[in-house]
């Protein structure tokens, strides 16, 4: 991802810089919007919104931006961020049906919750401070608890397993973060047209969040101008990927559902964002490379591409591009207006089936063992059907091999025993030296830092399955380290499986337009997939225990002080005399019986009201006050003498 | 062949609903008779060397992924089904779960994945579920011959869906005897472990108040008609009424019928927990700390009446849906309610705080009696012997302790003997094996008595161990054993204490009692004789069989007893250890005291 951006951006920046020089700096900032729609094999539709905002290098600090969000540029300047990516995801990416070997999935299939990584342009000693400050700034900016990544137990510094080789990289993820509109709204505020105009106007909250998968991503990278005295330019890429289920009326199960933009989102596009340089809608159809690929030039053949026996589109595409595995229709939405809104529809006429290209190995991860003491984590890699067709095989020592990188963070309460690492290839246990090419382990420290495992596997090409298992002990947390919902269990963040020798890209047969979305697809991107988040049940204390302790302590205190006061205050002799004077009226035994029955019946005694002498009570109270003062004096003296030593 | 077709049909049905389907092969031989596996967790996958393709079961499982869920947790639905001779009732349970599953595949409120497991119940209800759970939690990455068997390709991925939050096992069997549809809840897992009470409460509430099922838990039927219990119940009712007239706030009186029902249920609950054998396939889940119960539904109509089926499907599926929805909506797993409890009805229970009191009161007498006996015994020794070794006053108990230790060692050996008897080559009937066991044990006992001096109750040595000291040490040993057992399996300790405590307290040498011819001592001797007869494990087994309405079985009793013990061992029940290592030695020691030559 980073490499692709870095490699082609200088050219464009240089070009835009020249433009800026020619026309003044106002035109230099560029914004473009695009929407990619793609029917998926399992009767769903993928919508990928892509917004790109570029600020060219400038020499004045604190300058005013025209289009570029000020918050982001300040962030970059303050924390010296070289590259950063933040994603909010809900739901799981279905690698089997939605693909795993195209640029779209390798860039936008993200782990559940929040994921953040950043590369800083500061001295090594300041990286951690910058990271901590950045998490707090982002937390405020996006209304999310990203600041939990501040603690050193929740982030790691991958060296090579993440795909970007840098020692100033920090990576952290929060699997439990719930994603909702409160995160989308600040994200939209970074766009010049917000969601008022252009493609982003389609983002109707209920329909966006009704989807099966929802991932909003923000990627920014700085571009060095290379010139003396100039600052660096920033490229901000914002994408939103949603997978929606079109509502169908047809009962036929193998028929793909027909849809239109208004049926998917409940809204239509009326014109583009006026600030955008380009605003396009793309429709990608996979697996229909066809029969009629000989000459597209004639008008009839081109017409056939979008209105044929299988399906028809409601609008005529402006251009049709062919790539290795399908067709790409390009629509320009500039022409649409209030009277004639852009409402692209796809109508299927015949049942059709195709499959997505999958990553060479499909990864799944699960927990093993039972009990609250120990367990094991296993990562299972299974060969997919498309494995043999994929490029990117390597020949080492005459053997054909597939390389796979595994990057995994372990929270400190998962105490991993790295020596228990076992690797099975095709149900045969292998020694580490046979399949492990590289491994980098940084063990966790209790309550201080999380553990990290990076390893590079070299598997034979004809591998059917590979399994890795590693054992761990479950740690004990201090009572105030438990989260509010401790009894749910604790999350282990997703592992990242990447294939360093495989790169995904769309290969267009024609020359490329200037669209940023397409050029990012054309760039080679590393094939990567995230595994599931795991839930480890840890031993949890009975959280009501402190309450019980408080209750019993208070009871003991009450009993102690109550009886003490009783002893000090009550005058037994007086009471006896009082009782005797009472007893003249009713007999002692009779009184006792009366009390007993009253107690049994649960009613108070209907005692004959006897006026108590007021003088006596006041006398009592003065005596009481005197005694209390005496006790207080004794206590003070005791305190004085005991502290004196 | 029929089985394969059925399995494929179910798999096809599941995948049409949008679920991920897979088949899992497993071996019917599950519980191996193996020594000292009692408190170990579930078996790690043991590879069988000579796998035969002749008999293996196939589980069908389907997973619905929660549309917006994160896939961390799952809820499991299990329907045992015999693919070869499954009856109409079993088909009904498949139908209920199937309808529910198709509903769940379409709903949007799921936050946890749903797994539906159709367990191949040809090899029992428990084994297929246990095999599936083993594969789920501790798979073997090594090559297995089983995968190559048969034409059904199970090599495709075994799929998982995160940590299990709860599991429900649904079974439909028999016709209800009552007017309503009946729902029986089974919850006891191995070693008396119970699922969280909240799960039972949720099911009970939904079944009674929403779907109108008649909910019951198992009870000892013979207790319902017993007259002495009825008399006690009537007394309680009368006392309750009297108390109510005295003070309207005192409402502890319950009707006799309720009291009878409650006692019968409590007895059954206590018995099933004490036995330590799971009462259904849900027991396999408890080994992995998953709350699970078995729901056995009996419809009030015959299974072939089509008109009533619709209503039954609807209500059964609604009950399950409600339960799944309750679990689904929980952020945390069940932890608020009790794990240690005894049921007295589907909606009433006795918690640990209450039932521990009875046990504590029962056991508390033991150390006190032991102390007083020890002091008495020391005095008696001082009076009777004037040996010069009086300096070692505090070591008086050593002789007795030797004897107690020897007999406990004997108990341990007897406990381990069945393992070696099982290794004896050749096929033996259970009665033969029990005879082998009996003879070896008794000869061992004779050897123990012969080799260790002072052990035998029949030794004529006048100045052997003092019986009071011996009894004191015996009581201490029993006390320690009972307390340990109450931590492991409370119900066993409770029943054990009911038998052992009176025996230990009442037993006295019979000779002086006969000699004195006083009515009090004769009565005591008679009582101890009766208690000791009842206390013999085989006798106890016969009585409990009789109590549960299965009748005495005469000569085959030995064989029955053997199979019973074998099942205890196979299920890793700690009750077996208790019988062998606490109950039997203490019983023998009491016998020694009874025939003590003093």
């Amino acid at each position: 991802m980073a490499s692709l951006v870095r490699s082609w951006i200088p050219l464009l920046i240089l070009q835009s810089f020249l433009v800026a020089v020619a026309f003044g700096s106002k035109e230099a900032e560029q914004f473009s919007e695009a929407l990619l729609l793609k029917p998926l094999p399992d009767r769903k539709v993928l919508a990928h919104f892509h917004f790109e905002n570029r600020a060219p290098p400038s020499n004045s600090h604190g300058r005013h931006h025209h289009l570029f969000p000020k918050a982001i540029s300040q962030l970059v300047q303050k924390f010296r961020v070289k590259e950063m990516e933040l994603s909010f995801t809900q739901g799981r990416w279905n690698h089997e049906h939605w693909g795993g070997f195209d640029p779209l999935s390798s860039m936008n299939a993200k782990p559940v919750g929040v994921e953040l990584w950043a590369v800083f342009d500061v001295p090594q000693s300041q990286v951690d401070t910058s990271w901590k400050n950045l998490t707090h700034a982002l937390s405020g900016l996006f209304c999310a608890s990203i600041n939990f990544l501040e603690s050193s137990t929740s982030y790691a510094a991958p060296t090579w397993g993440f795909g970007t080789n840098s020692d100033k990289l920090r990576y952290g993820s929060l699997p439990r973060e719930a994603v909702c509109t409160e995160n989308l709204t600040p994200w939209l505020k970074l766009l010049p047209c917000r969601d008022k105009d252009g493609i982003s106007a389609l983002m109707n909250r209920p329909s966006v969040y009704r989807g099966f998968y929802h991932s909003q991503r923000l990627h920014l990278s700085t571009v060095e101008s290379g010139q003396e005295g100039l600052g660096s330019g920033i490229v901000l890429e914002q994408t939103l990927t949603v997978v929606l289920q079109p509502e169908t009326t047809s009962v036929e199960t193998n028929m793909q559902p027909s849809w239109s933009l208004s049926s998917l989102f409940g809204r239509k596009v009326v014109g583009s964002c006026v600030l955008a340089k380009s605003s396009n809608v793309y429709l990608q159809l996979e697996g229909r490379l066809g029969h009629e690929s000989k000459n597209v030039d004639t008008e009839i053949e081109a017409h056939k591409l979008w209105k044929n026996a299988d399906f028809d589109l409601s609008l005529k595409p402006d251009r049709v591009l062919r790539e290795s595995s399908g067709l790409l229709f390009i629509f320009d939405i500039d022409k649409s207006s209030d009277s004639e809104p852009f409402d692209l529809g796809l109508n299927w006429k015949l049942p059709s089936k195709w499959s997505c290209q999958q990553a060479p190995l499909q990864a799944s991860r699960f927990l093993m063992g039972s009990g609250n003491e120990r367990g094991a984590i296993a990562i299972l890699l299974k060969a997919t059907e498309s494995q043999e067709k994929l490029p990117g095989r390597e020949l080492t020592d005459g053997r054909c091999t597939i390389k796979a990188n595994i990057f995994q963070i372990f929270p400190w309460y998962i105490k991993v025993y790295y020596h228990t690492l076992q690797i099975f290839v095709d149900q045969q246990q292998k020694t580490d030296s046979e399949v492990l090419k590289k491994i980098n382990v940084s063990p966790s420290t209790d309550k201080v830092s999380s553990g990290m495992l990076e390893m590079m596997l070299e598997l034979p090409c004809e591998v059917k399955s590979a399994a890795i298992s590693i054992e761990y002990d479950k740690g004990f947390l201090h009572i105030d380290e438990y989260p509010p919902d401790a009894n749910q269990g604790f999350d282990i963040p997703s592992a990242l499986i990447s294939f360093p020798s495989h790169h995904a890209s769309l290969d267009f047969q024609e020359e490329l337009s200037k669209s940023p979305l397409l050029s990012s697809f054309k760039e080679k991107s590393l094939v990567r997939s995230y595994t599931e988040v795991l839930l480890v049940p840890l031993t949890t204390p009975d959280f009501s225990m402190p309450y019980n302790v408080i209750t019993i302590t208070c009871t003991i205190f009450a009993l102690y002080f109550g009886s003490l006061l009783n002893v000090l205050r009550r005058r037994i002799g007086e009471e006896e005399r009082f009782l005797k004077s009472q007893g003249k009226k009713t007999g002692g035994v009779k009184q006792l019986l009366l009390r007993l029955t009253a107690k049994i019946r649960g009613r108070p005694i209907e005692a004959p009201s006897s006026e108590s002498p007021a003088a006596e009570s006041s006398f009592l109270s003065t005596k009481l006050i005197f005694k209390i003062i005496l006790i207080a004096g004794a206590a003070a003296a005791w305190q004085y003498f005991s502290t004196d030593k | 062949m029929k089985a394969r077709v059925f399995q494929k049909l179910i798999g096809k049905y599941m995948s049409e609903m949008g679920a991920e389907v897979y088949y899992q092969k497993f071996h019917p031989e599950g519980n191996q008779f193996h020594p000292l596996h009692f408190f170990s967790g579930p078996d790690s996958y043991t590879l069988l060397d000579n796998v035969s393709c002749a008999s293996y079961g196939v589980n069908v499982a389907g997973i619905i992924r929660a549309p917006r869920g994160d896939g961390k947790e799952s809820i499991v639905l299990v329907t045992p089904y015999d693919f070869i001779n499954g009856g109409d009732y079993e088909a009904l349970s498949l139908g209920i779960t199937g309808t529910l599953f198709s509903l769940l595949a379409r709903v949007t409120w799921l936050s946890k994945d749903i797994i539906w497991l159709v367990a191949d119940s040809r090899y029992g209800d428990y084994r297929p579920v246990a095999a599936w759970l083993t594969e789920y939690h501790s798979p073997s990455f090594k090559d297995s011959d089983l995968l190559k068997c048969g034409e059904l390709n199970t090599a495709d991925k075994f799929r998982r869906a995160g940590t299990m939050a709860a599991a429900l096992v649904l079974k439909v069997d028999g016709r209800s005897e009552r007017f309503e549809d009946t729902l029986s809840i089974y919850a006891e897992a191995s070693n008396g472990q119970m699922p969280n009470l909240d799960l039972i409460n949720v099911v009970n509430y939904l079944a009674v108040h929403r779907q109108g099922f008649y909910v019951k838990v198992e009870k000892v039927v013979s207790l319902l008609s017993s007259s002495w219990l009825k008399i006690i119940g009537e007394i309680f009712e009368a006392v309750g009424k009297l108390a109510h007239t005295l003070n309207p706030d005192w409402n502890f009186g319950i009707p006799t019928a309720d009291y009878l029902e409650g006692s019968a249920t409590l007895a059954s609950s206590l018995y099933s927990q004490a036995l330590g054998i799971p009462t259904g396939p849900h027991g396999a889940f408890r080994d992995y700390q998953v709350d699970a119960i078995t729901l056995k539904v009996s419809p009030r109509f015959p299974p072939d009446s089509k008109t009533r089926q619709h209503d039954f499907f609807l209500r059964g599926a609604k009950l399950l849906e409600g339960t799944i929805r309750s679990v689904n909506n929980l952020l945390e797993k069940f932890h608020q309610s009790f794990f240690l409890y005894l049921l007295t009805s589907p909606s009433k229970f006795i918690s640990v705080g209450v039932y521990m009191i009875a046990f504590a009161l029962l056991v508390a007498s033991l150390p006190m009696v032991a102390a007083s006996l020890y002091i008495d015994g020391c005095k008696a020794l001082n009076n009777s012997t004037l040996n010069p070794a009086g300096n070692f006053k505090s070591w008086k108990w050593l002789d007795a302790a030797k004897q107690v230790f020897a007999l406990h060692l004997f108990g341990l050996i007897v406990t381990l003997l069945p393992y070696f008897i099982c290794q004896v080559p050749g096929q033996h009937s259970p009665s033969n094996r029990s005879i082998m066991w009996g003879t070896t044990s008794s000869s061992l006992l004779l050897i123990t008595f012969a080799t260790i001096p002072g052990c035998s109750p029949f030794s004529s040595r006048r100045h052997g161990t003092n019986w009071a000291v011996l009894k004191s040490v015996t009581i201490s040993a029993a006390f320690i054993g009972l307390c340990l057992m109450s931590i492991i399996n409370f119900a066993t300790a409770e029943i054990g204490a009911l038998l052992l405590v009176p025996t230990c307290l009442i037993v006295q040498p019979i000779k002086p009692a006969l000699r004195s011819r006083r009515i009090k001592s004769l009565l005591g001797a008679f009582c101890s004789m009766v208690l000791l007869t009842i206390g013999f494990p085989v006798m106890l087994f016969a009585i409990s069989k009789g109590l549960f309405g299965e009748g005495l079985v005469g000569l085959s009793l030995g064989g029955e007893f053997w199979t019973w013990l074998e099942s205890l061992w196979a299920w890793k029940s700690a009750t077996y250890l208790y019988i062998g290592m606490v109950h039997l030695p203490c019983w023998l020691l009491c016998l020694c005291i009874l025939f003590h030559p003093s």
Side-chain angles (χ1 to χ4, degrees), chain B residues 253-267:
Chain B
I254 51 165
T256 316
D258 283 6
Y259 178 78
L260 276 179
E261 289 263 326
S263 324
T265 318
L266 178 67

Side-chain angles (χ1 to χ4, degrees), chain A residues 210 368 371 485 488 535 600, chain B residues 68 137 163 247 289 331-332:
Chain A
R210 202 189 294 139
M368 306 203 315
D485 46 1
Q488 191 193 1
L535 193 67
I600 287 170
Chain B
R68 284 187 284 275
H137 284 108
T163 313
N247 185 347
Q289 289 83 43
L331 187 63
E332 305 184 304

